[in-house]
Amino acid sequence: GSPGARSGILAQVPPPLDALPALRADDLVQADVIIAHYKADPAGADRRYKRKVFRVEGTVERFEEKIFVRNTDVVLMTSERFVRLICNMPFGDEFKAVFSRQGGQKLVGVTAASERDLMRVGEKLVFRGRCAGLQNSAVVFRDCERAR
């Protein structure tokens, strides 16, 4: 990359959608890039991302717990204040419950035998999921799982 490509200013100007190669399932896309594409060209971003499964990387901002369903929304930080990126994570049958602790700072899973830390606010993580597009000022990924 070019010097300074990691600075906040340049990171907010992603390459134009039509200049990018086809998206593959093993591709890793930064949360900020996806949000910038949706902000600049929602229809083009839908053509590139919607209904596709790929990896997204970002820093955990917070958890939004759901009642009566076996999933949790993991909200990733982006430089855009008004559009969020949400990874909706179902949790497996090994967990009796999944909830946040320490004032919402960490997500834990409760198994029959123990309580396990799953992730923390501020952690930079990679998720694999299916992009469902822009919904209520959030780009939503469904059926997410932790990835590398």
Side-chain angles (χ1 to χ4, degrees), residues 10-23 27-50 52 54-56 78-80 83-85 131 133-134 138-141:
L10 293 177
Q12 293 174 17
V13 184
L17 286 164
D18 55 7
L20 295 169
L23 190 67
D27 282 349
L28 177 62
V29 185
Q30 299 300 314
D32 264 337
V33 169
I34 295 169
I35 294 298
H37 280 153
Y38 268 99
K39 190 175 174 195
D41 180 3
D46 264 355
R47 283 192 301 276
R48 177 164 181 78
Y49 300 119
K50 194 170 182 177
K52 297 195 173 86
F54 59 97
R55 297 179 306 148
V56 58
T78 66
S79 55
E80 177 56 47
V83 182
R84 304 171 304 150
L85 193 143
C131 182
L134 192 60
V139 175
V140 177
F141 280 73

Side-chain angles (χ1 to χ4, degrees), residues 7-116:
S7 79
I9 295 165
L10 293 177
Q12 293 174 17
V13 184
L17 286 164
D18 55 7
L20 295 169
L23 190 67
R24 296 185 320 264
D26 60 341
D27 282 349
L28 177 62
V29 185
Q30 299 300 314
D32 264 337
V33 169
I34 295 169
I35 294 298
H37 280 153
Y38 268 99
K39 190 175 174 195
D41 180 3
D46 264 355
R47 283 192 301 276
R48 177 164 181 78
Y49 300 119
K50 194 170 182 177
R51 291 185 285 284
K52 297 195 173 86
V53 174
F54 59 97
R55 297 179 306 148
V56 58
E57 182 177 47
T59 301
V60 175
E61 180 178 309
R62 69 179 181 277
F63 309 109
E64 292 180 355
E65 297 167 71
K66 309 279 189 175
I67 300 173
F68 306 125
V69 291
R70 297 186 56 82
N71 63 62
T72 299
D73 284 346
V74 180
V75 180
L76 301 183
M77 291 180 193
T78 66
S79 55
E80 177 56 47
R81 287 183 43 208
F82 302 110
V83 182
R84 304 171 304 150
L85 193 143
I86 296 173
C87 292
N88 180 265
M89 291 191 65
F91 49 90
D93 293 336
E94 75 267 26
F95 295 112
K96 291 197 302 185
V98 171
F99 52 88
S100 61
R101 281 230 190 271
Q102 296 178 350
Q105 292 300 298
K106 76 175 179 178
L107 193 69
V108 298
V110 179
T111 65
S114 66
E115 189 173 288
R116 194 163 82 215

